[in-house]
Amino acid sequence: MNASSPPQSNDSKPSNEDHPPESDHKHLLPLSTDNTPLISDEEVAYESNEKIIIDGLDDSSDYTSTPPFSWRKLWLFTGPGFLMSIAFLDPGNLEGDLQAGAIAGYSLLWLLMWATVMGLLIQLLSARVGVATGKHLAELCREEYDKWTGLVLWVMAEVALIGADIQEVIGSAIAIQILSNGVLPIWVGVVITASDCFMFLLLENYGVRNLEAVFAVLISTMGLSFAWMFADAQPSGKELLIGLLVPKLSSRTIRQAVGVVGCVIMPHNVFLHSALVQSRKIDPNKKGRVQEAIKYYTIESSIALFISFMINLCVTTVFAKGFYNTKQADTIGLVNAGQYLEKKYGGGFMPVLYIWGIGLLAAGQSSTITGTYAGQFIMGGFLNLRLKKWLRALITRSCAIVPTMIVALVFNKSEASLDVLNEWLNVLQSIQIPFALIPLLTLVSKEEIMGVFKIGPTLEKAAWSVAGLVMVINGYLLLDFFVAEVNGFLFGSLAVTCTAAYVAFIIYLINHGNCLPSTLFNRIVNKGYAYIGK
């Protein structure tokens, strides 16, 4: 000690080193090599020590220009887009594909293609939010909206996730029933599928990259299975090209058209993708790193959705070739599709029934695991819960499996009852779509949140147009469904009251963001609020 140093007073206050202020609490956490906490004291999608480091990114402070393309970097960024694409291949989508093919033939292939493009646009915006802010959509919603609005959005997201999970789990259960030659009933298949939660927990312990590799195997299994069916069926190449290039729509196929478009936007998938992109170590404060990440995620997601489009195309054309303009067209569904395929295309070296079962099982298993993943991000982000991963996954899985088991036991009486269930689940998910799209478009348009990565006016108008189209189409589906199902004054009054509250909440969300492009609808909403104020 320096002799000239003044003596320390006994009544001096404790130093900050002994009692650091609460604002510096995060600095007590273990640090990585770049001085970022390895374990966050707040809810995050991935801890710092779980993220994949992208080698070769320039760390210079003036990193403003985009570096040249690198195949190695693309490979390191590859993964989140393929996990996101699984929602485009879940059993609900496959049922929509087979029904569109059986009833509309090749005529809706153009719509399937453009619906996939619209879905890609929404998912790229979700990825953009996650990369540019370093937070996922559920976290941003918690910060953007007041407590009660955030809670309503969380409940809606959970309801949508449960609805999707029921379809996915039952799809897997149907596949297990097919592959067991009918020995295992639907409810047993549900129990087996529920165990994927523990498989997911096991995979997570081996790192993000290994988890992504397993999903790559499942997507490859789907691709090979449905490509095999396509090769066996040999659909007409000429009709396929005409279906892709020439738009056709008739009154007879309008319901299938609505189903094709409605299936591309899954509410939980919008939340999921914004979290998945954070599995790579990107500093949101460095413009160049964010720019490069967005570029590679755009390429990767486009490739992933192109593959999902080709798989959906195979399913649609196989059923178009085999069942269009037949008596079975109006009765075919996910439950009996395997039997119809076997009768139409026979056995052969590998019976088509089992090929269909393998593809369906891969679709169901992969989508239920991503559903568990999405559930963790949604619950943790909205509620800011710091739970252990196994506990949070168990809670998420239980929220879906319990109602699924009840549904499987109640509706496992006939194929018709399962078809009715599927219609109700489609309606349930359609209702939730605005509560994912409106917050996403609100946040991605705000400069104070996105900074220089705020989307421009052209892209903003295109995104709102796509969102508006999807919501209108799903609104048509809801109207058609309720007109057919709602009977009686009491039930009708309840439906009208709920619809009024639903529409009012949507208008509130749009008005809260104050970022809807200057359109006729926006002017109508503003005039309505002005009139109410008077």
Side-chain angles (χ1 to χ4, degrees), residues 95 98-99 319 328-329 331-338 340 356 419:
E95 183 164 32
L98 66 89
Q99 289 176 341
F319 283 88
Q328 300 95 335
T331 59
I332 196 166
L334 204 61
V335 179
N336 56 20
Y340 279 129
W356 168 254
D419 288 339

Side-chain angles (χ1 to χ4, degrees), residues 47-286:
E47 301 292 355
S48 181
N49 60 339
E50 295 175 326
K51 295 184 179 182
I52 297 170
I53 297 174
I54 306 297
D55 296 328
L57 285 178
D58 191 354
D59 285 321
S60 61
S61 57
D62 61 343
Y63 186 48
T64 56
S65 60
T66 304
F69 177 81
S70 165
W71 287 104
R72 172 174 168 74
K73 288 181 185 176
L74 178 61
W75 171 248
L76 291 173
F77 277 106
T78 297
F82 283 87
L83 268 69
M84 169 273 295
S85 72
I86 288 170
F88 290 71
L89 298 168
D90 70 357
N93 275 277
L94 296 182
E95 183 164 32
D97 292 339
L98 66 89
Q99 289 176 341
I103 296 173
Y106 300 88
S107 65
L108 295 181
L109 292 180
W110 65 276
L111 189 59
L112 174 63
M113 179 177 68
W114 285 107
T116 305
V117 172
M118 290 192 295
L120 174 63
L121 173 62
I122 297 300
Q123 294 301 149
L124 290 180
L125 293 180
S126 175
R128 189 184 190 93
V129 165
V131 174
T133 64
K135 298 178 179 180
H136 58 82
L137 186 56
E139 290 177 293
L140 291 170
C141 286
R142 187 186 76 237
E143 296 173 0
E144 174 71 14
Y145 297 100
D146 61 72
K147 179 180 178 181
W148 292 108
T149 303
L151 285 175
V152 172
L153 290 174
W154 169 63
V155 170
M156 293 299 185
E158 291 287 356
V159 168
L161 179 60
I162 290 171
D165 218 359
I166 290 174
Q167 286 182 313
E168 293 156 1
V169 170
I170 289 181
S172 290
I174 291 170
I176 291 171
Q177 187 180 49
I178 290 172
L179 296 175
S180 67
N181 283 322
V183 173
L184 299 177
I186 295 287
W187 70 269
V188 174
V190 169
V191 174
I192 294 172
T193 305
S195 64
D196 69 13
C197 174
F198 303 102
M199 184 177 75
F200 165 74
L201 291 169
L202 179 65
L203 293 174
E204 261 202 317
N205 291 331
Y206 290 96
V208 173
R209 216 59 177 142
N210 289 311
L211 180 65
E212 291 170 350
V214 170
F215 281 106
V217 171
L218 291 171
I219 293 173
S220 301
T221 302
M222 279 186 270
L224 290 172
S225 299
F226 299 133
W228 188 311
M229 288 170 51
F230 182 87
D232 271 357
Q234 296 182 345
S236 169
K238 179 181 176 181
E239 290 188 64
L240 190 155
L241 284 175
I242 292 173
L244 281 173
L245 301 176
V246 180
K248 291 181 183 177
L249 194 61
S250 67
S251 57
R252 183 174 179 269
T253 61
I254 188 68
R255 191 176 183 86
Q256 283 65 46
V258 169
V260 167
V261 177
C263 286
V264 298
I265 307 294
M266 304 289 284
H268 73 275
N269 207 38
V270 177
F271 288 98
L272 175 65
H273 199 196
S274 65
L276 291 174
V277 295
Q278 293 175 50
S279 59
R280 272 59 179 173
K281 202 174 190 65
I282 304 297
D283 187 348
N285 296 316
K286 294 183 178 178

Side-chain angles (χ1 to χ4, degrees), residues 427-444:
V427 167
L428 183 68
Q429 292 176 78
S430 296
I431 291 173
Q432 316 306 326
I433 286 176
F435 307 128
L437 291 187
I438 295 174
L440 172 65
L441 299 185
T442 296
L443 294 167
V444 82

Side-chain angles (χ1 to χ4, degrees), residues 466-507:
V466 168
L469 178 63
V470 171
M471 285 189 281
V472 167
I473 288 174
N474 280 280
Y476 171 85
L477 175 64
L478 294 174
L479 180 63
D480 181 64
F481 179 81
F482 281 119
V483 166
E485 297 293 332
V486 174
N487 296 306
F489 176 77
L490 183 61
F491 195 14
S493 300
L494 180 62
V496 169
T497 303
C498 292
T499 301
Y502 174 76
V503 172
F505 188 60
I506 291 175
I507 293 174

